[in-house]
Amino acid sequence: MLENWVVMPICLPLVRRRCHSCASERFRANGKFRVNANHKLIDAWLLALCTVCGDTTKLTVLERMNVRSVRPELLDRLHDNDPGLAAELLQDPVVRRRNRIALDWDNAWRLDTGGSDHLDREVSDVIDVSVRFAARIPVRPVRLIAEGCGLSRAEVGRLITEGNLVSAVRLSGRLSGDFTFTLKR
């Protein structure tokens, strides 16, 4: 029997960048944008607040672009402070590289197992699980499996070592893409 799990974001991740005021390294993006036009050129920034002192930082989205070269839908979303656009832009590698930021996904996602309860299963059951990511959230597969099956991480590590937990992908490290695994209990 194949089960489907989904790793989904519950809020925007924290932005990791040094604050110039207090040397904190965490900013919270709230989905607000600042757009500035100077004649035919436009700039746009995603605003983020320091989690310690509340200072604002601007993450560059558009820089000195000709207004006509920007899609009208994008301009509308910027002016409407679209939180969906903020989520898209934070996950865009070009935006992250340009602004020299990283994302902190701690407490910003949840695992939806579809309500299945693995604790009531027989000891001899074999479980096939497909894990899908709704966003590119880097998570350790061992943590996902432990949370989804109600096991400790040490127990999941033991199952991998014994060959009772197998996958086509490496289960150590972090993943942000879909994968499947088989658990023999």
Side-chain angles (χ1 to χ4, degrees), residues 65-117:
M65 289 192 65
N66 190 310
V67 174
R68 291 180 184 225
S69 67
V70 179
R71 295 185 332 269
E73 314 86 58
L74 176 60
L75 278 176
D76 290 342
R77 291 177 77 188
L78 288 167
H79 287 297
D80 293 339
N81 290 320
D82 183 356
L85 177 61
E88 292 171 26
L89 291 171
L90 283 175
Q91 293 195 37
D92 184 353
V94 173
V95 172
R96 288 201 318 257
R97 194 170 32 255
R98 176 189 296 151
N99 291 285
R100 295 184 198 101
I101 62 170
L103 300 180
D104 181 358
W105 281 97
D106 288 349
N107 303 317
W109 61 272
R110 70 177 177 87
L111 177 64
D112 181 10
T113 60
S116 58
D117 189 4

Side-chain angles (χ1 to χ4, degrees), residues 3 16 20 31 33 43 47 53 63 65 75 77 85 93 102 109 114 121 126-127 139 149 154 157 163-164 168 179:
E3 295 186 13
R16 295 188 63 203
H20 296 293
F33 293 92
D43 295 305
L47 303 178
C53 70
E63 188 171 39
M65 289 192 65
L75 278 176
R77 291 177 77 188
L85 177 61
W109 61 272
R121 300 251 171 129
V126 173
I127 305 168
V139 182
C149 294
N164 291 328
F179 71 97

Side-chain angles (χ1 to χ4, degrees), residues 5 19 41 108 117 158 180:
W5 294 358
C19 178
L41 301 178
D117 189 4
R158 187 183 59 75
T180 59

Side-chain angles (χ1 to χ4, degrees), residues 10-48:
I10 55 174
C11 63
L12 291 175
L14 292 178
V15 175
R16 295 188 63 203
R17 177 187 212 176
R18 183 168 294 282
C19 178
H20 296 293
S21 298
C22 71
S24 166
E25 292 192 359
R26 302 273 193 277
F27 284 84
R28 181 167 310 285
N30 58 3
K32 303 281 188 214
F33 293 92
R34 174 154 186 250
V35 180
N36 186 28
N38 185 0
H39 300 288
K40 294 181 182 178
L41 301 178
I42 190 168
D43 295 305
W45 301 275
L46 174 61
L47 303 178

